């Protein structure tokens, strides 16, 4: 029999299976405990948004918007985009639901998948998962320090190895504008030594020159003016207070004046955690302040700060959390009258299904044989599930095996659940 052509998952995507999915569930539990404990509430935003949200929010000149978005026109011709990041959608939701009327800061966290048309490689995918946290409505440096500390705590709990935290401040919009002009002048002066890509972005996005690996560009950037030298007194004070609070919290960091992040909305504090474990894609998570974003999206002037961290990178660089196997109180097995028949032809008797349903209704965790295995095979399978009890359903009566005590008794089928409940209680 010739099968049809196999269809594969698209390049840069992956299936989350078995242990990986269990490890993700543990990660989610830890995140909920840490962020929930700090007053953050979970938010879910739609998988797709109006393209305009990212064009305006993230910035037309960024790599994300200019070349990595999965955008499409829907049947009514509206341009929609699979979300490439989470901050703009959260700010959109803040404005849309009038959250500025709630007690501030409004703190929200998410764990969702995101989409970017990037060059796929280890640690870099086209659909990937991020956990993120945003605090809107306060410009207190304590919020910056708290936000960074929460991510540090989460990564620490998940045992992410060889972590470094780089920290900087981009200042307010005025300082950034002045700095941008000075940097552009510097880049134009040395244009001949820059990579073609950086040269092409002098007008649109000069800050990204700091991210270049190109040797000539790197040399030019060594003598480039530094944004930290352009901060207003107020911004410098804010940055000093953030650092002082991180010191108090015992969070180690390095000041890196070349730290620029790939999104346009950042102001003041920016930070990034990297792990030397990860090779080329070293970024584990990062974020910063975005004091102008809510207003840019049509809301009232609202300061905000947040971060996002990549789930795949956390799991790659961390000690993948080992979930406890789900307990199975009862496995329902049955004997065959015709063991010689092919397994696929053997169906479980209705009595076995009735017992399974009764056990679940009584609050037990229960599974049953569904693949027509021999009785020996069923007992072996129950063993690998670490089932506490196995009921072997026969005609009229049922044998109940205690897999822990290795004892067994014959009971009427309608007494099995009661016997299991009694046995579990005497553990
Ligand atoms: P960003 O939203 O670009 O600041 O990214 C935040 C974090 O998300 C990064 O530090 C990575 O851990 C993760 N991340 C970003 N892009 C990808 C990707 N294409 N594949 C896997 N993880 C990613």
């Amino acid at each position: 029999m010739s099968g049809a052509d196999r269809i594969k998952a698209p390049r840069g995507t992956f299936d989350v299976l078995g242990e990986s999915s269990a490890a993700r569930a543990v990660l989610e539990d830890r995140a909920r405990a840490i962020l929930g404990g700090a007053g953050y509430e979970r938010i879910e935003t739609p998988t797709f948004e109006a393209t305009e949200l990212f064009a305006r929010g993230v910035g037309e000149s960024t790599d994300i918007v200019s070349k990595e978005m999965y955008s499409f026109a829907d049947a009514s011709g509206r341009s929609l985009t699979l979300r490439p990041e989470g901050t703009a959608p959260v700010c959109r939701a803040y404005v849309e639901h009038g959250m500025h009327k709630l007690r501030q800061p409004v703190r929200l966290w998410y764990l969702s998948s995101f989409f970017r048309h990037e060059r796929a490689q280890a640690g870099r995918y086209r659909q990937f998962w991020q956990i993120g946290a945003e605090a809107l409505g306060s410009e207190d440096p304590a919020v910056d320090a708290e936000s960074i500390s929460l991510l540090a705590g989460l990564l620490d709990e998940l045992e992410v190895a060889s972590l470094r935290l780089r920290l900087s401040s981009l200042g307010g919009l005025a300082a950034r504008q002045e700095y941008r002009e000075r940097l552009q002048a510097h880049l134009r002066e040395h244009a001949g030594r820059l990579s073609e890509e950086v040269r092409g972005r002098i007008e649109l996005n000069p800050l990204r020159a700091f991210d270049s690996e190109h040797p000539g560009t790197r040399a030019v950037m060594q003598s480039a003016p530094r944004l930290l030298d352009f901060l207003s007194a107020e911004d410098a004070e804010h940055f000093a207070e953030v650092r002082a609070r991180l010191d108090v919290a015992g969070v180690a960091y390095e000041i890196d004046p070349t730290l620029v992040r790939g999104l346009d909305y950042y102001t003041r504090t920016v930070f990034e955690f990297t792990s030397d474990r990860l090779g080329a894609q070293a970024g584990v998570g990062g974020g910063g302040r975005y004091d102008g974003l809510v207003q840019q999206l049509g809301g009232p002037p609202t300061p905000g700060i947040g971060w996002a961290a990549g789930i795949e990178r956390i799991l790659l660089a961390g000690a993948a959390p080992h979930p406890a196997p789900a307990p199975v109180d009862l496995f329902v097995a049955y004997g065959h009258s015709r063991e010689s028949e092919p397994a696929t032809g053997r169906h479980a008797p209705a009595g076995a299904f009735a017992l399974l349903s009764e056990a679940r209704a009584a609050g037990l965790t229960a599974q049953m044989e569904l693949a027509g295995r021999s009785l020996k095979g069923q007992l072996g399978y129950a063993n690998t599930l670490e089932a506490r009890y196995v009921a072997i359903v026969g005609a009229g009566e049922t044998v109940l095996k205690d897999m822990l005590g290795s004892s067994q008794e014959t009971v009427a089928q309608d007494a099995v659940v009661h016997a299991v409940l009694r046995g579990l209680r005497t553990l």
Side-chain angles (χ1 to χ4, degrees), residues 47-69:
T47 304
F48 57 84
E49 297 267 3
T51 300
E52 171 72 7
L53 173 64
F54 302 109
R56 215 195 304 169
V58 179
E60 300 269 15
S61 68
T62 60
D63 282 354
I64 293 180
V65 173
S66 64
K67 49 188 185 200
E68 294 173 358
M69 296 209 299

Side-chain angles (χ1 to χ4, degrees), residues 12 14 64 68 84-87 110 114-131 261-263 265-266 271-274 278 281-287 307-314:
F14 53 87
I64 293 180
E68 294 173 358
E85 64 94 55
T87 303
Y110 56 81
F114 294 89
F115 307 84
R116 294 182 195 170
H117 193 276
E118 300 207 69
R119 219 159 355 107
Q121 53 189 279
R124 192 198 270 180
Y125 311 99
R126 291 180 174 171
Q127 179 178 4
F128 55 96
W129 269 255
Q130 282 184 340
I131 177 164
R261 302 202 15 94
L263 303 94
Y265 48 60
Y266 288 118
F271 59 96
E272 194 159 278
F273 284 89
T274 52
L278 287 175
Q281 305 302 317
V284 178
W307 48 258
I311 299 294
E312 293 75 34
R313 305 229 186 131
I314 291 177

Side-chain angles (χ1 to χ4, degrees), residues 328-356:
V328 177
D329 298 327
L330 176 67
F331 184 82
V332 181
Y334 55 88
H336 300 288
S337 46
R338 289 161 297 179
E339 288 272 339
S340 58
E341 274 182 13
T344 47
R346 294 186 208 131
H347 292 171
F353 194 79
L355 179 54
L356 176 81

